[in-house]
Amino acid sequence: MNQASQTPKRSTPTWQILVTTLGTMAWRNLWRNRKRTVITLSSIAVGFALAVLFIGIGDGSHNSMIRNAIQLGEGHITVQPKNYLAAPSNHSFLHNGKQLVAAIKALDLPGKVMPRISIQTLASTANNSVGAGLLGIETESSLHHPLDPMAEKLKPTLISGAWLTPDDERGVIIGSGMARKLKAKIGSKIVLMAGKKGGDSQAYLAKVRGIFHAPMDEMNDFFIVSHLSFARQFLIGEGGDAFREPLTRIAIFLQDPHTQDDWKQKLKSLLKNDNSLVVLDWQEMMPQLIQFIALDNAGNYVFLVFILIMVVFGILNTVLMSVLERTREFGLLRALGMNRQHLLLLVLFESLFLSLLAMIAGWLLGGLTHLWFSHHGIDFSSFMEGGTSLMGTMMDPIIYTELSWDRVKQLTEIVFITTMVTGIYPAVKAAKVTPVEALRT
């Protein structure tokens, strides 16, 4: 007689039944008082959205300052003489600039490799004399030499005259503050004089072709822009070889800023045999900007602490009131056989669900807020009557909120962990309930 084989049914593990049961009970308990739960979630969502907005504005303003500092400064990476940053001087320069630029370009670096010359001079006209910084850059784009990013920034700020033409060997562009101090106008002659290492001096005649008004007062009051060939005359006077095209530094602008560290290491490997050179990133070139951003971030985190305090009291109020209202119920559960650990897990499950809902509501409102201001921005021009320059750079008048994935992860973890930790005290209080005392209430 054949007997049909029967496959024994696999029983559900005890822990799975326990988790399902406690989870279901916690979810239902959370919505017993819908109004209180909704108010708590709404307050957390509003607080979370404010935190997202303020941190987004902070990151947006910082990134704006960094981008402008890189474009108006020395790029993402700078190659320059070893001690030039600590003690800038006209006789400290890259003697073989032509070969260095060619070697760096041979790496097929994705970006711009810009030769630059910075000279400290005394600018004089018939009316006045002031200290000035002469900056020689690539003022026009060509097949072999792209336009310098600083020229891209300064061209739109011209308020009179015209930009330098390729064949204008003595033409210079000066800032509005410099023009006011020297009482110079378009066509004015300026004598630029610089001291030499041996104690002598050298001077060259320049003519004003244009006047710019940049958002940074330091540039308006101090900068004089010229072709590389004009500024190079001062380096040749210091003993440089014109054929080797000496430079003060090489500024490197990357298409992808995230590759900065990799390219910095490659450049260090390329130049490791030359102890007279140093490869610096923008953070090393502008430490004061890094310090300012760190301090400003600290201020943003102080605001976040206030948001977390509001979250803590909201969660604590909801869960603790729920626990106190159900003291008799907890006593009955204990009398029916539920142990302290299970009661503790029940209340922790309620805190877990409340935390998850708070995250969903917070990111829904905060995400929409960030999405709006990341496209439309916030105009801070009315709050910047004193100018947009700050810490050697400038901040755009319209700030768009920016949030990296690290920020998103950080905000989520902080608020989630805070809400979960807040639920521990009510859970412990519920677990301490004794059946006899609870049933007397």
Side-chain angles (χ1 to χ4, degrees):
M1 184 175 181
N2 296 329
Q3 294 181 352
S5 60
Q6 296 182 355
T7 303
K9 294 182 178 179
R10 300 176 64 180
S11 59
T12 305
T14 305
W15 67 267
Q16 189 173 341
I17 297 175
L18 176 64
V19 169
T20 303
T21 303
L22 292 178
T24 303
M25 293 176 63
W27 180 257
R28 291 175 178 175
N29 290 336
L30 193 63
W31 295 103
R32 282 185 175 183
N33 193 325
R34 292 178 179 271
K35 184 180 292 185
R36 182 169 60 201
T37 300
V38 170
I39 291 175
T40 301
L41 291 176
S42 300
S43 63
I44 295 173
V46 171
F48 194 88
L50 287 174
V52 169
L53 177 61
F54 273 82
I55 291 179
I57 292 174
D59 286 355
S61 61
H62 296 160
N63 291 336
S64 170
M65 293 172 66
I66 290 170
R67 285 190 292 266
N68 289 325
I70 289 171
Q71 278 201 301
L72 293 172
E74 307 304 332
H76 295 92
I77 305 173
T78 305
V79 178
Q80 64 182 22
K82 191 171 186 178
N83 298 318
Y84 189 87
L85 185 62
S89 61
N90 294 343
H91 61 265
S92 179
F93 56 91
L94 309 175
H95 289 268
N96 202 353
K98 183 178 181 180
Q99 183 179 349
L100 275 174
V101 171
I104 294 173
K105 287 184 176 180
L107 294 175
D108 290 330
L109 184 145
K112 291 183 177 182
V113 180
M114 305 310 307
R116 287 184 173 181
I117 298 174
S118 297
I119 303 293
Q120 300 174 49
T121 68
L122 178 68
S124 303
T125 62
N127 299 300
N128 200 4
S129 298
V130 295
L134 174 64
L135 180 63
I137 60 175
E138 293 286 358
T139 56
E140 290 293 338
S141 60
S142 63
L143 182 62
H144 302 290
H145 301 290
L147 181 64
D148 194 293
M150 182 171 287
E152 293 178 4
K153 279 283 188 178
L154 290 180
K155 265 189 173 183
T157 67
L158 281 179
I159 55 176
S160 62
W163 193 252
L164 299 175
T165 57
D167 57 345
D168 191 353
E169 294 295 331
R170 294 193 176 275
V172 294
I173 306 293
I174 65 175
S176 56
M178 177 71 68
R180 184 178 63 254
K181 292 177 182 179
L182 295 176
K183 297 180 180 179
K185 57 185 180 180
I186 304 302
S188 296
K189 295 179 180 180
I190 298 178
V191 177
L192 299 176
M193 184 173 64
K196 297 172 66 175
K197 186 177 182 180
D200 296 331
S201 62
Q202 54 180 329
Y204 297 95
L205 180 66
K207 290 187 177 181
V208 178
R209 303 304 186 193
I211 299 175
F212 64 82
H213 184 75
M216 294 174 59
D217 293 336
E218 294 88 344
M219 297 186 69
N220 294 325
D221 296 340
F222 188 69
F223 271 19
I224 297 177
V225 179
S226 74
H227 289 308
L228 278 168
S229 57
F230 178 80
R232 186 171 284 126
Q233 295 179 83
F234 289 92
L235 299 185
I236 295 172
E238 289 284 359
D241 185 347
F243 180 76
R244 299 169 70 184
E245 298 181 3
L247 302 169
T248 302
R249 62 172 62 90
I250 300 171
I252 298 167
F253 299 84
L254 299 171
Q255 293 178 0
D256 184 3
H258 297 97
T259 62
Q260 173 181 293
D261 293 339
D262 294 335
W263 281 107
K264 180 182 176 182
Q265 292 304 318
K266 291 179 182 178
L267 289 169
K268 282 186 173 182
S269 299
L270 175 68
L271 307 173
K272 63 182 178 181
N273 295 326
D274 193 339
N275 295 326
S276 65
L277 302 180
V278 65
V279 179
L280 303 174
D281 55 38
W282 69 266
Q283 291 94 332
E284 294 168 311
M285 292 290 291
M286 293 176 283
Q288 72 281 0
L289 178 58
I290 297 299
Q291 293 172 2
F292 171 80
I293 291 175
L295 289 173
D296 200 41
N297 276 332
N300 288 336
Y301 279 111
V302 170
F303 177 78
L304 184 58
V305 168
F306 287 107
I307 297 296
L308 292 178
I309 291 174
M310 183 177 69
V311 170
V312 166
F313 280 104
I315 296 290
L316 189 62
N317 174 69
T318 300
V319 179
L320 187 58
M321 289 300 295
S322 177
V323 168
L324 293 177
E325 289 175 355
R326 292 181 289 153
T327 302
R328 184 178 180 84
E329 176 185 327
F330 290 151
L332 180 61
L333 290 174
R334 289 293 313 283
L336 291 174
M338 179 177 284
N339 58 36
R340 294 181 185 274
Q341 290 77 16
H342 293 167
L343 201 55
L344 179 72
L345 285 174
L346 175 63
V347 179
L348 285 177
F349 267 120
E350 293 179 19
S351 298
L352 174 63
F353 289 142
L354 194 59
S355 301
L356 293 174
L357 290 173
M359 289 298 95
I360 294 172
W363 273 119
L364 183 62
L365 184 58
L368 290 174
T369 303
H370 166 66
L371 187 64
W372 170 266
F373 287 108
S374 66
H375 285 83
H376 296 82
I378 304 174
D379 191 350
F380 285 95
S381 56
S382 59
F383 301 98
M384 298 178 179
E385 295 180 357
T388 60
S389 59
L390 188 67
M391 303 307 293
T393 181
M394 56 175 264
M395 185 171 67
D396 297 327
I398 298 179
I399 300 300
Y400 299 89
T401 58
E402 297 182 30
L403 282 178
S404 64
W405 281 111
D406 288 339
R407 284 292 199 192
V408 171
K409 181 181 177 183
Q410 186 183 59
L411 282 170
T412 304
E413 288 178 349
I414 289 175
V415 177
F416 180 77
I417 292 173
T418 301
T419 53
M420 283 300 300
V421 171
T422 305
I424 293 177
Y425 173 70
V428 172
K429 190 172 183 64
K432 289 182 178 180
V433 170
T434 56
V436 177
E437 293 180 358
L439 292 173
R440 287 176 179 174
T441 60

